[in-house]
Amino acid sequence: MSSATFDLTCELISRDSVTPEDKGCQQLMADRLAAVGFTNEHMRIEDVDNLWSTHGEGGPLLVFAGHTDVVPTGDLSHWTHPPFEPTVVDGLVYGRGAADMKGSLAAMVVATERFVTDYPKHNGRIGYLITSDEEGDAYHGTVAVIERLMARGEKIDWALVGEPSSTAKVGDTIKNGRRGSMLGYLTIKGKQGHVAYPHLAKNPVHLVAPAIAALSTEVWDHGNDYFPATSFQVSNINSGTGATNVIPGTAELMFSFRFSTEATAESLQERTRKLLDGFDFDYDLRFEVKGQPFLTEQGALVQAAIQAVTDTVGYEPELSTAGGTSDGRFIAPTGAQVLELGPLNKTIHQVDECVSVDDLDKLTEIYYQIMVNLLA
């Protein structure tokens, strides 16, 4: 059962690095990378640990990007095995972060150790951009490191993010883009009153109901060959005083857009306001753009990744832009080609999160072959 990637995965899982904590994971990785000639730079930004590590000189830069933080475990009594004590059962290693994404980090490091040993004078450079703020607010992690790198002229050509992208078999899906993400915070202003005297009040919940229906049925776009149509979803509604006989004075909604490259954050904001202006109520509205959509089309990185997967596991991966956001959204605007490639996402953020031990070794080989294809 033991392999270099499995052993490192277990070491990382055993550290309870609940976001934004790192708990020494990055130092463990940095020590391994330094031993094969990498230069490490630790960037502590606010309460977030970040690692920037590089090897080689000149030429294109391939960066492995990822995060050491994990989501909270929830009620420990629901776990079959303690979440920070890696346990192997039937070829699966269980633990928080096993799939998202300590298994990927381990595979990256082991593949890199092998590559720089086999090709000490490889073309280009290899980099690591690792944060402990991906599962949290993501204000002081990858986005902040990218700002510092850009300020000093660092240019990332290719970025491989180790997010769990696979669906049924390791490597069967590569994410070559992501939809944009934007939150909306809407407050409807009514008039508080007694439920027995509705003519003296103005119920904001009743006022906003038709607007919610209009927003949720609006066709924002039709998507394109790479992205599904933009979606609108209400995620939270809050109103009322807690009393049963009081009409509330305000209603607060939180909603989310996941948008394709057919729309922009600005156009969606404008259309939302225009739609709301058609209803008879006063409102306050603010937006928070969490990430812009990005797409990596056919090019050197896509070709290298597809070839690596095909050579390693014998089937060609599908390119997809489905799913949520990742830190790739902070790297793509620099002009880098960005892909996400990692283990199965079936158990991520769940109780009894796990990853196949065999898949860890396959993923290591895939990462190794990508480096060979690009830099050997």
Side-chain angles (χ1 to χ4, degrees):
M1 191 63 67
S2 183
S3 72
T5 304
F6 168 77
D7 292 342
L8 183 53
T9 299
C10 291
E11 284 189 77
L12 292 169
I13 291 173
S14 66
R15 298 165 188 257
D16 57 339
S17 54
V18 176
T19 191
E21 297 293 331
D22 169 70
K23 292 298 182 75
C25 292
Q26 290 175 24
Q27 189 61 57
L28 176 61
M29 296 174 62
D31 290 344
R32 297 278 293 254
L33 293 171
V36 290
F38 275 72
T39 300
N40 296 318
E41 180 180 355
H42 295 275
M43 299 185 192
R44 176 79 175 179
I45 305 175
E46 298 293 333
D47 61 344
V48 174
D49 288 307
N50 302 287
L51 172 65
W52 173 247
S53 184
T54 58
H55 186 278
E57 296 181 5
L61 172 59
L62 167 66
V63 167
F64 288 102
H67 60 91
T68 53
D69 60 320
V70 299
V71 295
T73 62
D75 190 339
L76 294 178
S77 67
H78 295 164
W79 285 73
T80 306
H81 315 284
F84 298 111
E85 297 178 16
T87 305
V88 178
V89 179
D90 295 331
L92 300 174
V93 57
Y94 288 83
R96 174 58 85 221
D100 189 13
M101 54 175 283
K102 292 182 174 180
S104 299
L105 296 178
M108 290 173 175
V109 170
V110 172
T112 301
E113 290 171 332
R114 176 183 162 198
F115 178 78
V116 298
T117 300
D118 291 348
Y119 300 92
K121 297 182 179 180
H122 59 80
N123 298 319
R125 293 191 296 154
I126 303 169
Y128 273 74
L129 199 173
I130 310 298
T131 184
S132 65
D133 188 33
E134 196 274 345
E135 299 289 9
D137 293 332
Y139 295 137
H140 307 299
T142 299
V143 64
V145 175
I146 286 292
E147 289 177 357
R148 293 190 179 188
L149 296 179
M150 291 183 66
R152 67 195 196 194
E154 286 276 12
K155 183 182 183 301
I156 299 173
D157 297 277
W158 307 305
L160 194 61
V161 186
E163 291 291 343
S165 63
S166 303
T167 304
K169 298 181 292 184
V170 66
D172 63 359
T173 305
I174 296 174
K175 300 294 177 66
N176 67 321
R178 289 286 194 172
R179 294 176 292 174
S181 175
M182 180 170 67
L183 299 179
Y185 302 88
L186 174 65
T187 299
I188 305 300
K189 301 175 181 179
K191 183 178 180 181
Q192 186 172 310
H194 196 295
V195 296
Y197 301 93
H199 60 289
L200 301 176
K202 207 171 183 179
N203 195 319
V205 178
H206 296 182
L207 293 174
V208 77
I212 294 174
L215 288 165
S216 61
T217 56
E218 177 77 1
V219 178
W220 302 96
D221 59 51
H222 296 283
N224 53 36
D225 291 342
Y226 301 101
F227 291 91
T230 294
S231 69
F232 168 92
Q233 291 293 320
V234 174
S235 55
N236 286 277
I237 300 179
N238 296 297
S239 190
T241 64
T244 61
N245 60 352
V246 177
I247 293 171
T250 60
E252 298 177 350
L253 277 76
M254 182 186 297
F255 58 84
S256 175
F257 280 106
R258 293 300 170 95
F259 57 101
S260 73
T261 50
E262 294 298 305
T264 65
E266 293 74 20
S267 68
L268 293 174
Q269 292 177 22
E270 181 180 352
R271 290 176 62 185
T272 300
R273 292 185 187 278
K274 183 176 181 180
L275 191 153
L276 291 173
D277 287 343
F279 293 89
D280 185 22
F281 53 67
D282 293 328
Y283 68 90
D284 289 328
L285 176 62
R286 68 179 179 89
F287 290 95
E288 183 181 1
V289 179
K290 304 297 288 185
Q292 299 289 351
F294 71 89
L295 178 70
T296 296
E297 299 189 58
Q298 288 287 346
L301 182 59
V302 170
Q303 295 169 1
I306 290 176
Q307 189 63 52
V309 171
T310 305
D311 290 346
T312 300
V313 295
Y315 45 80
E316 186 170 318
E318 173 190 2
L319 296 178
S320 170
T321 62
T325 60
S326 78
D327 277 0
R329 70 189 188 274
F330 302 128
I331 304 173
T334 69
Q337 298 176 34
V338 179
L339 294 182
E340 297 172 24
L341 175 56
L344 271 63
N345 55 29
K346 182 179 180 180
T347 64
I348 60 174
H349 291 208
Q350 296 183 17
V351 167
D352 290 341
E353 180 181 351
C354 61
V355 66
S356 163
V357 175
D358 186 51
D359 284 354
L360 291 174
D361 291 332
K362 291 178 181 177
L363 190 59
T364 303
E365 182 64 23
I366 290 170
Y367 290 155
Y368 175 84
Q369 290 300 331
I370 290 174
M371 285 184 280
V372 170
N373 294 341
L374 289 173
L375 301 176

